[in-house]
Amino acid sequence: AQSVAQPEDQVNVAEGNPLTVKCTYSVSGNPYLFWYVQYPNRGLQFLLKYITGDNLVKGSYGFEAEFNKSQTSFHLKKPSALVSDSALYFCAVRDDPGTASKLTFGTGTRLQVTL
Amino acid sequence: NAGVTQTPKFRILKIGQSMTLQCTQDMNHNYMYWYRQDPGMGLKLIYYSVGAGITDKGEVPNGYNVSRSTTEDFPLRLELAAPSQTSVYFCASRPGAGGRSGELFFGEGSRLTVL
């Protein structure tokens, strides 16, 4: 069975500082990894994904994520946080993007960026 | 392009009542999903569909039913509402192939309270 762990319920960072939101995963085959963001009272929005290729993936709004196979991690990063980045972030995994296999989500990490 | 549309946005039900949450997508996606989101629990998959006429259970299907008579529509039915079904429900869809394969497109959510 596939699973995702987001060890931090909340991450606090000052605007302008770099941010990292952690994610580790477990799958039986090759992992296909995703980050989604949820703003208050909205649905989830896709940020970025890793399917294959470069371990550093760039996505929307200046976010990037680093895939580390040996550590089974896919941490979300941004060099300089903005107050508007404050939201709930979900990591998700599946073992094949092209089939009906389902996406498993982590429990979410709330990012709070302050002035 | 409306994307994924869910109705209603809010609903209060009494225990034992029935209702249907509507979901429509206009992107011609084959795959559609229903998730529920509870605080601190992430998203749990209720039911999914790989195309018109085909549905299957997810992690938490008890108390729910779905149908998929067309590509566009994927309604979720609660037959006998229980307080444990108080949650925020999200419908999502995704393309089966191509560059955006694997990415889920979410609706805005339906907040259901059972009293």
Side-chain angles (χ1 to χ4, degrees), chain A residues 34 36 38 41-46 49 51 88 90 94 96-108, chain B residues 31 33 35 37 40-43 45 48 50 57 90 94 96 98-104 106-109 111:
Chain A
F34 302 80
Y36 286 82
Q38 185 181 31
N41 301 313
R42 303 295 297 275
L44 278 70
Q45 298 176 29
F46 170 80
K49 66 182 176 185
I51 303 296
L88 189 57
F90 289 96
R94 63 153 34 99
D96 184 329
T99 69
S101 60
K102 288 81 68 178
L103 207 57
T104 298
F105 286 86
T107 52
Chain B
Y31 299 106
Y33 304 83
Y35 288 91
Q37 183 181 26
M41 301 293 290
L43 279 78
L45 182 64
Y48 68 100
V50 302
K57 297 177 180 179
F90 288 99
R94 70 173 177 93
R100 306 201 72 173
S101 176
E103 298 174 29
L104 289 177
F106 282 84
E108 297 278 293
R111 185 176 295 274

Side-chain angles (χ1 to χ4, degrees), chain A residues 35-99:
Chain A
W35 276 102
Y36 286 82
V37 60
Q38 185 181 31
Y39 298 101
N41 301 313
R42 303 295 297 275
L44 278 70
Q45 298 176 29
F46 170 80
L47 269 183
L48 50 79
K49 66 182 176 185
Y50 171 82
I51 303 296
T52 188
D54 281 345
N55 289 341
L56 186 63
V57 178
K58 294 190 182 298
S60 306
Y61 313 121
F63 283 93
E64 57 191 27
E66 186 169 10
F67 171 65
N68 187 317
K69 188 172 183 177
S70 63
Q71 297 185 4
T72 61
S73 66
F74 189 56
H75 300 332
L76 181 70
K77 301 182 179 185
K78 189 174 182 182
S80 179
L82 298 172
V83 172
S84 57
D85 293 330
S86 298
L88 189 57
Y89 290 81
F90 289 96
C91 182
V93 68
R94 63 153 34 99
D95 57 10
D96 184 329
T99 69

